[in-house]
Amino acid sequence: PAEQVTLRLRVGALCESELSDPVSASEWYRSVLDYDPQHKEALSALERLYTEQQQWSNLLQVFELQIQIVADAEAQLGILAKAGAIYETEFDSPKDAAQYFERAIQLVPDHLPSLRNLERLLRLSKDWERLIEILLHHVQLLSDPKEAATTHLEVGEIYYRELARVDKAEQAYNYARKLDPQNQEALHALGRLYERSGNWFQSLEMLQREVENQGTRMEAVPLLLRIGKLHHEMLADPGSAKASFMRVLEIDPGCVPALQALKEEYELLRSQSAGLVAENIKQREALAEATKTVEEHTAALATLEDLKFISDEGDTGSLAGYFKDGKPVILTLYYSDCPMLCSLVLTGLEKAL
């Protein structure tokens, strides 16, 4: 067998270098593996030839054999990376490529290049659940709080945009803020989340913190516009809305949206003032009508003074004498000595009372 291996290697080398026949050379090197499946020299030659001939499936088989005979973890990681690259670039299969980097982090869990490649491939294949698991594993290996905050922020974005898990997204954003309190992206994400879920006051808090971070820079303008809009449309607080729009003009005096918003605020205020004036006029007219009614009733009472009636006992008196403050009066017309219907009228009236 040793002689066969040596002979086949020499023939393969002759076909490759002297005859420029890579196909025959590959066959001779391949035949070596029939005698020694882990022959390093033959495998190296096959890797070289299959790469030149772009025989990717055969090359992947060679990589699998090489992984079995390489004891060094770093060398194994390199082979796995090459195999993953072939699946990604030549077969356009990020899902299959990701499997090689999964094997890499099983071999060396804290190998950052493999983790980053796996994260990239999981994004391409849209395997969001697995990507979150890998990111949370990755973040444990980071010593920089800002970098860790950025990773938690990405986790939040995946929960929010891809999985519609608002609760999980909020947790991830808040954890990013805990690691980096001034993280502008985390504040922005929380403000957006609270605004879209109707938590106006929490949204305003995040927006105000963003404005504080920006100071008087132009980046604060869209934030202040959003704050003003929330106060105007959602909280019906024109005073706070006006203050926000005025701050915009302090930074950018020519900001058209702020000028337009202030114009609308003033028009609303003017409309409200006009409404108050109209209501006041209406109240005055009602008061005048009531006064007129009182005057008419007073005149009626004066007329009643002239009406004289004689009681069943023969006493003479005016009808106005019965109309006194705080005492209601019911007037019904009947004969005091009526023997028939008048008594029925009085009885019915009494029962009604």
Side-chain angles (χ1 to χ4, degrees), residues 272-286:
Q272 291 173 341
S273 299
L276 291 174
V277 171
E279 183 64 24
N280 184 265
I281 292 173
K282 187 181 294 185
Q283 290 176 354
R284 290 188 179 188
E285 291 175 347

Side-chain angles (χ1 to χ4, degrees), residues 231-232 235-243 265 268 272:
H231 279 301
H232 173 74
L235 301 179
D237 184 356
S240 297
K242 177 184 174 183
E265 288 292 334
L268 177 62
Q272 291 173 341

Side-chain angles (χ1 to χ4, degrees), residues 222-250:
L223 302 172
L224 288 167
L225 288 173
R226 284 174 61 193
I227 291 173
K229 184 177 180 182
L230 283 177
H231 279 301
H232 173 74
E233 296 181 358
M234 302 304 174
L235 301 179
D237 184 356
S240 297
K242 177 184 174 183
S244 296
F245 296 136
M246 291 299 293
R247 286 188 63 187
V248 171
L249 296 180
E250 291 175 4

Side-chain angles (χ1 to χ4, degrees), residues 48-66:
R48 180 177 62 254
L49 289 169
Y50 287 150
T51 301
E52 292 174 357
Q53 299 172 70
Q54 299 184 355
Q55 295 187 25
W56 308 121
S57 297
N58 288 333
L59 180 57
L60 289 169
Q61 294 176 8
V62 170
F63 286 154
E64 290 295 341
L65 292 172
Q66 287 178 325

Side-chain angles (χ1 to χ4, degrees), residues 165-220:
R165 292 291 306 275
V166 176
D167 55 334
K168 292 288 188 179
E170 182 183 6
Q171 291 178 11
Y173 294 147
N174 278 316
Y175 205 87
R177 280 193 61 211
K178 181 179 179 181
L179 293 170
D180 183 9
Q182 303 305 316
N183 188 298
Q184 194 76 0
E185 292 184 25
L187 290 171
H188 181 78
L190 281 168
R192 176 196 61 200
L193 183 150
Y194 291 139
E195 185 175 347
R196 292 183 180 177
S197 60
N199 295 327
W200 313 123
F201 292 103
Q202 288 176 295
S203 177
L204 284 172
E205 180 185 354
M206 296 301 109
L207 288 169
Q208 292 287 5
R209 290 180 182 273
E210 282 192 85
V211 171
E212 291 171 6
N213 288 346
Q214 297 295 348
T216 58
R217 294 187 298 176
M218 288 296 292
E219 287 78 3

Side-chain angles (χ1 to χ4, degrees), residues 32-187:
V32 173
L33 302 182
D34 295 334
Y35 296 92
D36 184 359
Q38 298 182 344
H39 195 281
K40 291 182 179 181
E41 185 179 348
L43 289 172
S44 296
L46 286 170
E47 178 185 355
R48 180 177 62 254
L49 289 169
Y50 287 150
T51 301
E52 292 174 357
Q53 299 172 70
Q54 299 184 355
Q55 295 187 25
W56 308 121
S57 297
N58 288 333
L59 180 57
L60 289 169
Q61 294 176 8
V62 170
F63 286 154
E64 290 295 341
L65 292 172
Q66 287 178 325
I67 290 172
Q68 297 176 18
I69 64 174
V70 174
D72 180 57
E74 194 67 31
Q76 291 180 349
L77 290 173
I79 296 170
L80 290 169
K82 289 189 289 186
I86 288 174
Y87 266 112
E88 181 182 4
T89 59
E90 305 303 334
F91 294 127
D92 193 23
S93 178
K95 184 176 180 180
D96 289 319
Q99 296 306 311
Y100 284 93
F101 291 103
E102 291 277 11
R103 291 168 62 181
I105 63 170
Q106 289 176 6
L107 183 66
V108 184
D110 60 350
H111 190 247
L112 292 179
S114 294
L115 282 170
R116 294 190 182 96
N117 276 311
L118 179 56
E119 290 163 8
R120 178 177 53 78
L121 292 165
L122 291 172
R123 290 187 196 97
L124 290 172
S125 58
K126 298 183 179 181
D127 189 349
W128 307 119
E129 297 284 358
R130 181 55 179 162
L131 177 56
I132 288 173
E133 293 176 359
I134 294 300
L135 287 170
L136 293 178
H137 168 66
H138 186 171
V139 79
Q140 296 176 6
L141 306 176
L142 301 175
S143 57
D144 181 7
K146 291 185 180 295
E147 188 177 356
T150 301
T151 303
H152 280 289
L153 185 63
E154 182 180 356
V155 170
E157 287 293 285
I158 295 170
Y159 273 126
Y160 184 76
R161 295 182 181 278
E162 308 299 341
L163 302 178
R165 292 291 306 275
V166 176
D167 55 334
K168 292 288 188 179
E170 182 183 6
Q171 291 178 11
Y173 294 147
N174 278 316
Y175 205 87
R177 280 193 61 211
K178 181 179 179 181
L179 293 170
D180 183 9
Q182 303 305 316
N183 188 298
Q184 194 76 0
E185 292 184 25
L187 290 171

